[in-house]
Amino acid sequence: MIPVQGYAGQTVAVLGLGRTGRAAAAALAAGGAQPVVWDDSVPARNTAEAEGLILRDLTKTQSYEDVAALIVSPGIPHLYPAPHPAIAAAWDAGVPVDNDIGLFFQSFATTEWANFDTAPRVIAVTGSNGKSTTAALIHHILTENGRPAQLAGNIGRGVLDIDPAPDGGVVVLELSSYQTDLARALTPDVAVFTNFSPDHLDRHAGLGGYFAAKRRLFAEGGPDRAIVGVDEAEGRYLANQLSEGPEDDRVIRISSGQKLTQGWTVFARKSFLSEYRKGRQVGTIDLRKIKGLPGGHNHQNACAAYAACRTLGLGPKGIAAAMESYPGLPHRSQIVAEKDGVLYVNDSKATNVDSAAKALQAFKKIRWICGGLQKEGGLEALLPHLDHVVKAYVIGREAEGFALQLTGAEAEICTTMEAAVMRAVAEAQAGEVVLLAPAAASFDQYDNFEKRGDDFMARVQAALG
């Protein structure tokens, strides 16, 4: 646990009692603060009270008379589409609003670090897609090369639930726009921006607000190194804003598909990763050997992870060796079975159009299971990538409407995962891939994308016997 610094002897309010809120309350108490908590869910409040936490209705302005700060869980809207009543009440009372990420950055460093030979470092990863894979890959590479590392944030443990830093330790954080948007302290040593595409637009009142939330990771704290994916205009803009010129090696530009040679760059082309510094190639990796990172989108993740590890002094050979043993993450281009020449891949985490498009580009002949709770913007961006699709099998309550948008591809309305898998397995031919990449949220049929991916895997195993 990371005891929260700066609030000893003060009352701090915590809104939301999921994993994040409960860890924040415990870390505040460990740092000498008195947490008071609230959740809209009555069962959550009852559980918290049974565990000895002090409940207080934080939707009332008078509840903040003795409160030093309000700590908000990431799933709770603080501005758009409308601020939660408790947050509005805190504003009215003049109480600062923060989140667990802000608490982490103000509390992680301690006086014990003065005795360390090597100061601990924090690598923070954000972007629209690939955050989890990039963060997990960085952690894997560090661990395989003997560096003490912890994985936290949206993946692994909660940021305040990790262990205090050891000498030379590295914390790898995956941070969503919900987390970067509200944190009052954002000071990573290395910040990574993977890529950018529309997502969470209701929460950020549009594309500009969403990008602004991502940009805060780089603008607020000024990382020593910024690793920026430049395959979209937003990434090129961000890299330009952070850089003092083409040779400024505080900014490492990365790409999947483009050759980059000015300054410090890492890019992947034709399944080969290359590192250039001052116009010269200084490292290369054959990504074809790495089964846990298929497709151009994963090659972009590999570039980001490689660059992050290079900033910490790891050599290309050590990074390459570790990448070869990377097993991949569940529900992210996860190979779940292979039989009679047909590969079965679970990419349930492809919850938006951009991530699904990248999954479709990773394979040649695809039996595509897709559909669910469609996000804003429609499916138009997927249409250029349907040439790899032999047939689509559409699931979800909106399956008919989803299928109608897939112009140029044969689509069968299956509605359920069971029916989609049965049809895909029955029709798949050797050399094809049965791919779950929904391009939609899961909440019409499942609690989360993990449950959806688990169902796909179970149905595949049952169908294959």
Side-chain angles (χ1 to χ4, degrees), residues 1-4 19-20 22-28 100 104 108 150-153 156-164 171 173:
M1 180 181 294
I2 306 296
V4 173
R19 183 189 73 160
T20 297
R22 294 161 74 88
L28 284 161
D100 65 323
F104 168 81
F108 184 52
Q150 300 182 76
L151 186 61
R157 299 162 70 181
V159 293
L160 295 173
D161 194 38
I162 65 172
D163 300 325
V171 174
L173 301 180

Side-chain angles (χ1 to χ4, degrees), residues 113-274:
W113 289 21
N115 301 317
F116 290 168
D117 293 327
T118 303
R121 309 291 292 279
V122 177
I123 300 174
V125 181
T126 195
S128 295
N129 298 303
K131 297 186 297 296
S132 296
T133 296
T134 299
L137 181 57
I138 293 169
H139 178 262
H140 177 80
I141 294 168
L142 292 171
T143 302
E144 290 294 299
N145 281 273
R147 296 289 294 270
Q150 300 182 76
L151 186 61
N154 267 5
I155 188 173
R157 299 162 70 181
V159 293
L160 295 173
D161 194 38
I162 65 172
D163 300 325
D167 193 337
V170 182
V171 174
V172 185
L173 301 180
E174 179 201 341
L175 299 182
S176 72
S177 59
Y178 294 0
Q179 294 167 310
T180 58
D181 198 19
L182 189 58
R184 297 173 74 92
L186 282 169
T187 54
D189 299 285
V190 181
V192 180
F193 180 89
T194 57
N195 50 54
F196 189 78
S197 62
D199 207 357
H200 309 304
L201 300 187
D202 58 335
R203 179 67 179 264
H204 298 291
L207 200 60
Y210 177 49
F211 177 63
K214 299 289 188 184
R215 184 178 179 274
R216 287 192 78 245
L217 181 63
F218 301 82
E220 295 298 314
D224 296 336
R225 286 283 194 281
I227 297 162
V228 182
V230 295
D231 289 334
E232 297 87 29
E234 290 82 2
R236 294 195 293 275
Y237 166 84
L238 179 61
N240 183 268
Q241 286 261 302
L242 297 171
S243 173
E244 295 297 329
E247 301 305 318
D248 185 353
D249 67 2
R250 294 173 303 170
V251 180
I252 307 174
R253 291 167 174 82
I254 64 167
S255 172
S256 177
Q258 302 181 64
K259 183 176 181 179
L260 307 171
T261 57
Q262 287 189 335
W264 192 353
T265 63
V266 180
F267 61 89
R269 291 183 72 199
K270 298 180 179 179
S271 298
F272 281 85
L273 180 152
S274 298

Side-chain angles (χ1 to χ4, degrees), residues 2 23 50 85 88 112 117 138 166 170 237 244 265 288 321-322 363 393 424-425 427 434 442 451 456-457 465:
I2 306 296
E112 294 179 2
D117 293 327
I138 293 169
V170 182
Y237 166 84
E244 295 297 329
T265 63
R288 295 173 300 179
F363 306 101
Y393 305 82
V425 170
E427 296 181 352
V434 175
S442 60
K451 298 269 190 194
F456 170 75
M457 292 189 291

Side-chain angles (χ1 to χ4, degrees), residues 15-89:
L15 178 64
L17 291 170
R19 183 189 73 160
T20 297
R22 294 161 74 88
L28 284 161
Q34 175 59 68
V36 295
V37 304
W38 188 253
D39 195 289
D40 293 336
S41 164
V42 173
R45 296 201 299 265
N46 291 340
T47 299
E49 190 171 34
E51 294 176 355
L53 291 170
I54 299 172
L55 295 179
R56 185 183 295 187
D57 186 350
L58 299 175
T59 64
K60 300 176 180 177
T61 302
Q62 57 267 33
S63 295
Y64 293 92
E65 291 180 356
D66 63 339
V67 169
L70 171 65
I71 309 304
V72 179
S73 295
I76 299 172
H78 60 271
L79 187 55
Y80 303 113
H84 188 280
I87 295 173

Side-chain angles (χ1 to χ4, degrees), residues 329-393:
L329 283 176
H331 313 296
R332 297 161 178 87
S333 298
Q334 179 187 9
I335 297 172
V336 298
E338 185 172 6
K339 186 175 182 179
D340 298 329
V342 178
L343 191 66
Y344 296 84
V345 178
N346 168 25
D347 203 345
S348 184
K349 185 63 170 63
T351 59
N352 60 39
V353 166
D354 185 67
S355 56
K358 290 176 178 176
L360 292 178
Q361 293 172 62
F363 306 101
K364 296 298 183 183
K365 296 180 180 179
I366 301 170
R367 301 275 172 179
W368 179 32
I369 298 177
C370 57
L373 190 61
Q374 192 173 323
K375 296 186 177 181
E376 292 183 29
L379 303 178
E380 186 175 352
L382 277 173
L383 301 185
H385 308 291
L386 297 184
D387 56 331
H388 290 189
V389 176
V390 178
K391 184 177 178 180
Y393 305 82

